[in-house]
Amino acid sequence: MTGTGTDGEAVKALFARYIDAWNARDFACIANDVYRTPVYVFDSAATSILATPDEIVGLLAGLRTDLDATGFSHSLLDHVSTCDLGDGLMFATFHYRRIFRTEGGGETDDLLASAYIVRRYPDGWHMVAHVFQAIPSGFSCTPRKL
């Protein structure tokens, strides 16, 4: 089932907080309030672990520096889909737009997606795993009939 209701809205708010902190360059907020370490990172070639908030801050700061050098301005949250896995776990994908300044004073953008496993803790939902999503696409979450 999709994450609707209070939990689904809370997870969507988590992604909005992520984007707001990213735009503000508040990597400590992302590392300490959005994520919950250790964070597992899955891509097609390997699985890695971000064991501490400091590792997350370092990674995000480096990524942001590289993006800023290309004219990056900010990101906009485009869409969040969730799938309630039960027992305080959700799978979520979010689409976001990266806005870049052009030399002529305009803007261009691109659409990207990231997928996450999020877990509910006593203090709210936190991202605990990042799964690279190469192509922005929606997914449906259908309960399995037993």
Side-chain angles (χ1 to χ4, degrees):
M1 71 186 97
T2 58
T4 57
T6 305
D7 286 337
E9 292 305 313
V11 170
K12 289 176 184 178
L14 177 69
F15 285 99
R17 191 168 62 217
Y18 184 105
I19 291 293
D20 288 345
W22 172 256
N23 288 334
R25 294 176 177 84
D26 190 350
F27 309 124
C29 172
I30 295 169
N32 293 292
D33 299 334
V34 174
Y35 285 106
R36 181 63 50 97
T37 54
V39 175
Y40 293 83
V41 180
F42 300 95
D43 68 26
S44 60
T47 300
S48 58
I49 299 172
L50 297 168
T52 67
D54 287 342
E55 289 181 26
I56 295 169
V57 168
L59 175 69
L60 294 177
L63 291 172
R64 183 61 191 258
T65 297
D66 292 346
L67 273 174
D68 288 348
T70 67
F72 175 77
S73 172
H74 62 284
S75 291
L76 299 171
L77 185 61
D78 190 74
H79 175 77
V80 176
S81 295
T82 59
C83 181
D84 189 340
L85 302 173
D87 292 329
L89 289 173
M90 278 197 199
F91 186 77
T93 181
F94 86 110
H95 300 173
Y96 58 99
R97 294 191 179 280
R98 296 185 309 181
I99 310 300
F100 295 88
R101 294 175 301 274
T102 64
E103 289 183 19
E107 293 181 341
T108 62
D109 73 330
D110 59 6
L111 179 66
L112 298 174
S114 287
Y116 289 87
I117 297 171
V118 295
R119 174 175 278 157
R120 183 177 48 233
Y121 290 88
D123 65 338
W125 290 90
H126 296 276
M127 298 173 180
V128 295
H130 179 209
V131 181
F132 280 96
Q133 186 176 0
I135 301 168
S137 61
F139 65 90
S140 62
C141 179
T142 308
R144 191 176 102 188
K145 294 181 181 180
L146 299 176

